Amino acid sequence: MLPSQKKHWESMAKGLVLGALFTSFLLLLYSYVVPPLHAGLAPTTPEAAASCSPPLVEPEAVTRANSSAGECQPRHNIVFLKTHKTASSTLLNILFRFGQKHRLKFAFPNGRNDFDYPTFFARSLVQDYRPGACFNIICNHMRFHYDEVRGLVPPNATFITVLRDPARLFESSFHYFGPVVPLTWKLSGADKLAEFLQDPDRYYDPNGFNAHYLRNLLFFDLGYDSGLDPRSPQVQEHILEVERRFHLVLLQEYFDESLVLLKDLLCWELEDVLYFKLNARRDSPVPRLSGELYGRATTWNMLDARLYRHFNASFWRKVEAFGRERMAREVAALRHANERMRTICIDGGHAVDAAAIQDDTMQPWQPLGTKSILGYNLKKSIGQRHAQLCRRMLTPEIQYLMDLGVNLWVTKLWKFIRDFLRW
């Protein structure tokens, strides 16, 4: 063998060994970043040692809707169950801004931007947690565990969450999380979503890695068994339990109306609920779900469908109680104020592809294998009055968490590896 050929094969052998070692390291890291899914609840903290102490308790606020004097005190204690693919990142930004403005105490995760999802939430996952610690706002992704969350906030805390049409949520989740759900890798067609929905039982394994993203994701995020038989009486029991625990369930399809109800419930000002749509996905080249596929997606996610139907009905009862004409006026005021901020803050007035974002600090987190999440360019000349608000409204979740002092070493390391490998 010629010396040059020998060196070539030695180089290839070394590359294979290093590649194998590096791949093993990545698998170990990913298994830490995304912990294994367990059906049972996480170990809980002893209640007597961990309950929220009373100093942060504020007087019970009376909402404007029920106040004869038309005045009330803003609520500061809020639990937001951040569900997936429901415009929850936009609502998260609203809560970050409000908490920062009023110097409230957040319960943040430690090392990453979620509470070890998809495992159940436990108080010990909170950054710098100490038994008896009391917080104003909890709002990062978690798999909900009511008793553990309840012990971190004052008794008068307001619980909120947001739902979305289950077929549309499934479509978004499939496209966003598909690359990290191995059961989708066997789908070979151009339209993997349509192929999956033609015979989902053929491909779906409830015990598969990250499989929870592809069936009844809302039910799962709320802490329930996403594999329940839709005819089981437990389904309705769980839905009624959500109704008892949450003061307001917002709907993604009626986001502005939801924010008006939220503003009224929390006794906030219009400026507190202004928003730009964050973490939005670029339109897919694959057509949206057709009538038949929409029906299949709804049937496949029947637990979420029952949940959504229940809270869709209750949502419109709340709108009726609030007053249709009043709602129309307040929605118009919110949209007008949002449009005004758009002209003040956003260069070009609209979201752009990741490649067109000029400031790296404005780059949103992207799914594996594609840059489909849109972002914004901040105008370079913004008056002093609006400069801070504009930047905060446009800051993506990861960067905002870092601005708030959250330890994100795992997320940062994972981003470094992804950037290095160009994933």
Side-chain angles (χ1 to χ4, degrees):
M1 181 180 292
L2 295 174
S4 60
Q5 291 178 317
K6 184 178 179 181
K7 288 182 180 180
H8 173 71
W9 286 108
E10 286 178 350
S11 177
M12 286 185 64
K14 288 179 181 178
L16 287 171
V17 171
L18 288 173
L21 289 173
F22 189 58
T23 301
S24 299
F25 168 75
L26 290 180
L27 290 172
L28 286 171
L29 176 65
Y30 194 72
S31 67
Y32 176 78
V33 174
V34 183
L37 176 61
H38 300 289
L41 292 177
T44 58
T45 312
E47 193 67 30
S51 296
C52 169
S53 302
L56 285 178
V57 175
E58 61 190 17
E60 190 68 27
V62 179
T63 64
R64 286 192 179 94
N66 298 320
S67 172
S68 58
E71 297 180 359
C72 56
Q73 296 298 315
R75 288 181 180 261
H76 289 171
N77 301 318
I78 303 155
V79 173
F80 170 45
L81 175 60
K82 188 178 188 292
T83 48
H84 287 83
K85 314 314 296 175
T86 57
S88 60
S89 293
T90 301
L91 189 51
L92 188 74
N93 180 274
I94 290 172
L95 292 171
F96 282 169
R97 285 169 15 225
F98 184 85
Q100 192 173 25
K101 175 182 176 181
H102 295 277
R103 300 187 177 183
L104 302 180
K105 187 176 181 181
F106 287 91
F108 283 129
N110 188 25
R112 42 192 280 179
N113 61 310
D114 60 56
F115 291 104
D116 279 13
Y117 185 89
T119 57
F120 280 96
F121 176 80
R123 277 169 257 182
S124 59
L125 298 173
V126 174
Q127 180 174 294
D128 300 325
Y129 171 74
R130 296 291 183 274
C134 198
F135 298 88
N136 298 116
I137 298 177
I138 307 175
C139 54
N140 290 81
H141 275 308
M142 67 170 74
R143 190 173 186 201
F144 193 57
H145 186 320
Y146 178 76
D147 292 334
E148 286 291 291
V149 174
R150 177 77 269 178
L152 287 174
V153 292
N156 67 341
T158 302
F159 282 65
I160 62 173
T161 190
V162 57
L163 305 182
R164 183 182 182 184
D165 179 308
R168 300 301 179 200
L169 184 149
F170 172 76
E171 178 184 26
S172 181
S173 181
F174 189 96
H175 288 304
Y176 189 92
F177 295 112
V180 296
V181 185
L183 63 88
T184 67
W185 299 348
K186 64 183 79 171
L187 297 165
S188 57
D191 189 347
K192 292 187 176 185
L193 177 62
E195 184 180 349
F196 178 87
L197 286 173
Q198 290 301 325
D199 189 6
D201 289 313
R202 174 185 173 188
Y203 302 103
Y204 185 75
D205 175 6
N207 298 314
F209 185 70
N210 281 339
H212 59 279
Y213 286 121
L214 299 188
R215 193 173 199 186
N216 296 312
L217 185 54
L218 293 172
F219 232 66
F220 184 89
D221 285 353
L222 284 161
Y224 300 119
D225 180 0
S226 57
L228 277 176
D229 186 330
R231 297 164 295 183
S232 168
Q234 282 184 283
V235 177
Q236 185 63 14
E237 291 170 11
H238 291 332
I239 291 172
L240 294 177
E241 186 172 65
V242 173
E243 188 168 53
R244 289 193 300 271
R245 289 174 171 175
F246 287 83
H247 299 84
L248 178 63
V249 176
L250 295 79
L251 299 181
Q252 187 260 5
E253 290 80 8
Y254 304 99
F255 197 67
D256 290 345
E257 291 85 351
S258 294
L259 289 181
V260 169
L261 291 178
L262 181 67
K263 179 173 76 73
D264 187 66
L265 175 66
L266 299 178
C267 196
W268 286 7
E269 300 298 328
L270 178 62
E271 181 180 301
D272 297 325
V273 295
L274 298 180
Y275 73 93
F276 298 129
K277 190 175 182 181
L278 300 179
N279 211 35
R281 180 168 56 96
R282 183 179 61 238
D283 289 339
S284 171
V286 179
R288 285 170 63 88
L289 290 174
S290 65
E292 180 192 357
L293 289 178
Y294 177 89
R296 287 178 179 272
T298 300
T299 301
W300 177 246
N301 295 277
M302 186 50 67
L303 302 184
D304 282 0
R306 289 188 57 182
L307 178 77
Y308 185 82
R309 280 199 294 264
H310 180 94
F311 285 102
N312 189 7
S314 67
F315 179 85
W316 292 107
R317 288 195 294 271
K318 290 180 185 293
V319 170
E320 290 292 342
F322 185 84
R324 291 269 184 174
E325 291 185 4
R326 181 185 172 199
M327 174 61 73
R329 289 195 303 272
E330 297 216 16
V331 165
L334 173 60
R335 290 174 178 170
H336 177 76
N338 279 337
E339 187 58 34
R340 178 171 175 270
M341 291 305 298
R342 180 179 297 276
T343 61
I344 292 172
C345 301
I346 300 175
D347 188 20
H350 56 80
V352 296
D353 285 335
I357 299 173
Q358 300 162 9
D359 184 348
D360 286 343
T361 64
M362 291 288 140
Q363 281 283 357
W365 185 269
Q366 299 288 347
L368 278 177
T370 181
K371 291 192 173 182
S372 58
I373 302 302
L374 304 175
Y376 298 92
N377 285 314
L378 188 68
K379 275 190 174 180
K380 293 179 174 60
S381 57
I382 302 175
Q384 186 176 357
R385 179 184 173 189
H386 295 104
Q388 185 183 74
L389 178 58
C390 285
R391 176 162 286 278
R392 288 179 177 178
M393 289 180 70
L394 292 172
T395 299
E397 175 183 344
I398 302 298
Q399 291 90 319
Y400 212 139
L401 285 168
M402 289 191 288
D403 289 346
L404 292 171
V406 182
N407 174 14
L408 294 178
W409 75 268
V410 175
T411 303
K412 289 179 181 178
L413 179 58
W414 184 238
K415 182 180 185 304
F416 172 80
I417 293 170
R418 287 183 54 181
D419 290 346
F420 179 77
L421 296 176
R422 297 182 180 179
W423 283 356

